[in-house]
Amino acid sequence: MFEASDIREWRGHDVVDVDGHKIGTLESVYVDTATDQPAFATVTVGLLARHRLVFVPLAGATVGPGYLKVAHPKGQVKGAPAIDTDGELPAGDEEAVFAHYKLSYVQGAGGERRLARR
């Protein structure tokens, strides 16, 4: 895996799926609040006037010359929970992001958010 500081340098680069098909561009990184490690990325998708940010897990992601390759197919990523390009993920929607990728979701011991944008 790569360090959070390294992946931030990839903002604006292409995000591609397991087969190398372009999904969109990297917008931001969300870290797991329990570990402060990169957990999800948001990817800008959609038509110019209708952009939105979808969430994709970073587990298994690799970087190449000018792109970030994620371990999920384009169709699954484009169907993931999304927010507006100037929006923020509501705490109540975090579980749906994990569920979309069949990942377990556990809030912090005190009910804290699991994801934080960095």
Side-chain angles (χ1 to χ4, degrees):
M1 192 65 170
F2 32 79
E3 297 297 319
S5 61
D6 295 337
I7 194 170
R8 279 192 284 265
E9 295 173 11
W10 290 88
R11 186 171 182 235
H13 283 87
D14 289 347
V15 176
V16 300
D17 71 1
V18 292
D19 295 320
H21 299 111
K22 182 178 177 182
I23 299 169
T25 56
L26 180 64
E27 166 58 28
S28 63
V29 175
Y30 280 72
V31 297
D32 185 325
T33 57
T35 64
D36 204 37
Q37 294 296 311
F40 282 85
T42 54
V43 180
T44 304
V45 298
L47 302 173
L48 188 57
R50 301 171 82 184
H51 279 154
R52 60 192 171 92
L53 300 174
V54 294
F55 289 81
V56 63
L58 290 172
T62 57
V63 292
Y67 67 85
L68 171 71
K69 182 182 279 188
V70 296
H72 299 278
K74 181 178 183 175
Q76 183 180 24
V77 175
K78 285 199 162 195
I83 58 175
D84 291 334
T85 55
D86 59 351
E88 189 166 319
L89 179 66
D93 292 350
E94 284 187 347
E95 188 170 2
V97 172
F98 283 78
H100 180 78
Y101 293 100
K102 297 179 177 42
L103 300 171
S104 64
Y105 175 78
V106 179
Q107 287 183 318
E112 302 91 15
R113 295 186 69 132
R114 179 77 184 271
L115 297 175
R117 186 176 178 173
R118 296 282 189 257

